[in-house]
Amino acid sequence: RRVLFRSGEWRRDHEDGKTQKRGFAPTARVTTAEREVPVSSFVSPSKSDLDSAWKLADQAQLLEAEIIFARSITRGDDPEAFRSYAAFLLRTGRRWLAEVMFQRVLELAESHGPQWAAVAYGNLGLLRELSGDLSGAEALQKKSLAIHQESSHWEGIAQVHTNLGIIAKRRGDFAEAERLFLSAAEDSLKTPRKDITARAYNNLGLLYRDQQEHARAEKLHEQALAIAEEINDPQEIASVCTNLGVLHFDQGQLTIAADFFARALSLSRQIGFQQGTAVALAGQAAILLSQGSTLEAEPLLAEVLALNVQLGQSDAVAGALVNLGVIAAHRGDGRAAMHYLE
């Protein structure tokens, strides 16, 4: 009955093959699109409108935000408009449409400058990583990195180092992942982008958690949370809260874990952060299952299943089906169990 949730995907085992002491252990890390601030020569005339749309999105006014994002791309030649809308679509679980928008950013880079190609390659690389194509993701991230390095664009360099660190972590190369996350944190301090620093700390915390270094992980997650709260980034706050919930769950501190999962779920639902909602629900289900409350966990897992079908997370879908099958078998419903497990 051991199913792990890592990086937005359900896993039957940890990537390094280590056995976990507890049962259902949901884990998350930030996989948001790069909300990158391009160099000044690429600032869009519609930037104030896009800023307003993000404020609306962060205030749970999703329909109003999407109307602004959709209107912003009608002119057809504004790469910032397409990038922003793509990031919003990725947050709300429409990954395939986000990819279309990022491809448009890449097309527009021919007339708007190479920095936009770097933005497009980085975000398309994120989508490849989410789909499990690590080689394709790495190739795109390295294309992005080369462009950022040529112009000494430290914001982009820091973000790509984080993304490459995530890829290295998924491959089980923890030493390389640590080097890249530390480099991202250091690079981010050369920029005004505190959200990039928070993201690097959050992912570094996950790396240490995977190696059972709980004290180091907790310190980094708390640093990331403090930054996210300072800049009022609800998506980042939700992600870090989930990771802190997992950390306390792993150590048997279920009451503390439950508080973090509840905060993460509330924020994720408010801002339409579908992946965050799925991970937080999985955390709440994990607590219920560890307490033997299978009936209470079942509807949560059913929602986790539905969300991950929408997100296209095949591993997460498989994991949810396994959990639901185990619950059905536990209550003696063999037909339902076979339905899920087949």
Side-chain angles (χ1 to χ4, degrees):
R1 292 175 55 188
R2 176 164 52 86
V3 181
L4 306 180
F5 191 97
R6 183 194 59 79
S7 302
E9 301 172 338
W10 284 94
R11 297 281 173 177
R12 292 302 302 277
D13 279 298
H14 246 222
E15 54 214 320
D16 58 7
K18 293 180 181 178
T19 300
Q20 301 297 303
K21 295 181 180 179
R22 300 189 66 84
F24 300 74
T27 305
R29 54 102 174 129
V30 183
T31 56
T32 56
E34 297 182 68
R35 288 174 59 174
E36 189 157 1
V37 178
V39 293
S40 59
S41 59
F42 299 112
V43 174
S44 165
S46 61
K47 187 175 186 301
S48 61
D49 289 338
L50 296 173
D51 287 344
S52 297
W54 278 117
K55 288 179 181 178
L56 288 169
D58 288 346
Q59 294 168 1
Q61 299 181 55
L62 301 181
L63 178 58
E64 294 85 349
E66 182 151 13
I67 289 171
I68 297 174
F69 284 127
R71 285 176 177 170
S72 73
I73 67 170
T74 55
R75 196 173 70 182
D77 61 353
D78 183 353
E80 173 62 14
F82 282 94
R83 186 211 59 79
S84 294
Y85 195 12
F88 176 79
L89 291 166
L90 189 56
R91 173 193 282 192
T92 52
R94 290 165 286 176
R95 192 178 298 169
W96 66 273
L97 189 52
E99 183 172 2
V100 172
M101 298 292 170
F102 287 134
Q103 289 288 357
R104 180 58 178 156
V105 173
L106 185 58
E107 294 169 2
L108 290 170
E110 295 183 9
S111 56
H112 286 76
Q115 196 68 30
W116 284 110
V119 171
Y121 287 138
N123 284 299
L124 289 168
L126 280 174
L127 291 171
R128 289 286 185 89
E129 184 266 325
L130 288 171
S131 69
D133 180 7
L134 300 187
S135 296
E138 183 178 40
L140 287 166
Q141 294 295 349
K142 287 183 175 179
K143 283 185 177 184
S144 178
L145 182 62
I147 298 170
H148 286 310
Q149 288 175 328
E150 187 175 348
S151 60
S152 297
H153 186 218
W154 291 106
E155 292 177 9
I157 291 169
Q159 291 195 65
V160 174
H161 279 159
T162 298
N163 295 337
L164 287 170
I166 290 168
I167 294 169
K169 178 176 176 290
R170 290 194 62 183
R171 286 174 168 163
D173 189 345
F174 295 125
E176 177 66 3
E178 181 181 40
R179 183 189 71 80
L180 287 163
F181 291 146
L182 288 171
S183 178
E186 181 179 352
D187 292 341
S188 72
L189 297 178
K190 302 173 185 177
T191 82
R193 294 285 302 280
K194 292 185 178 181
D195 60 312
I196 302 175
T197 308
R199 185 175 181 232
Y201 288 161
N202 199 17
N203 282 289
L204 192 57
L206 285 177
L207 183 71
Y208 292 143
R209 173 191 172 270
D210 284 355
Q211 298 175 80
Q212 306 302 309
E213 296 186 47
H214 292 141
R216 295 179 76 183
E218 184 173 7
K219 181 178 179 180
L220 284 158
H221 286 320
E222 287 178 345
Q223 286 179 297
L225 182 58
I227 295 171
E229 290 175 334
E230 177 188 347
I231 62 177
N232 193 28
D233 186 336
Q235 185 168 334
E236 189 74 16
I237 292 170
S239 177
V240 181
C241 282
T242 298
N243 291 335
L244 282 165
V246 172
L247 193 64
H248 288 288
F249 177 88
D250 280 354
Q251 298 173 85
Q253 300 164 347
L254 301 187
T255 301
I256 300 174
D259 289 342
F260 279 118
F261 288 140
R263 186 181 180 192
L265 181 60
S266 176
L267 280 171
S268 295
R269 287 200 190 279
Q270 286 175 20
I271 65 173
F273 182 24
Q274 298 293 72
Q275 186 177 17
T277 300
V279 183
L281 282 168
Q284 291 183 333
I287 291 174
L288 291 169
L289 289 167
S290 71
Q291 298 170 334
S293 301
T294 55
L295 292 179
E296 291 85 350
E298 188 170 15
L300 301 186
L301 288 168
E303 187 173 356
V304 170
L305 174 62
L307 285 167
N308 282 299
V309 168
Q310 177 186 341
L311 291 165
Q313 297 277 69
S314 58
D315 285 354
V317 169
L321 288 170
V322 168
N323 286 332
L324 288 166
V326 169
I327 290 172
H330 180 74
R331 67 167 183 264
D333 189 344
R335 179 175 296 181
M338 290 300 297
H339 171 74
Y340 288 125
L341 297 173
E342 285 177 349

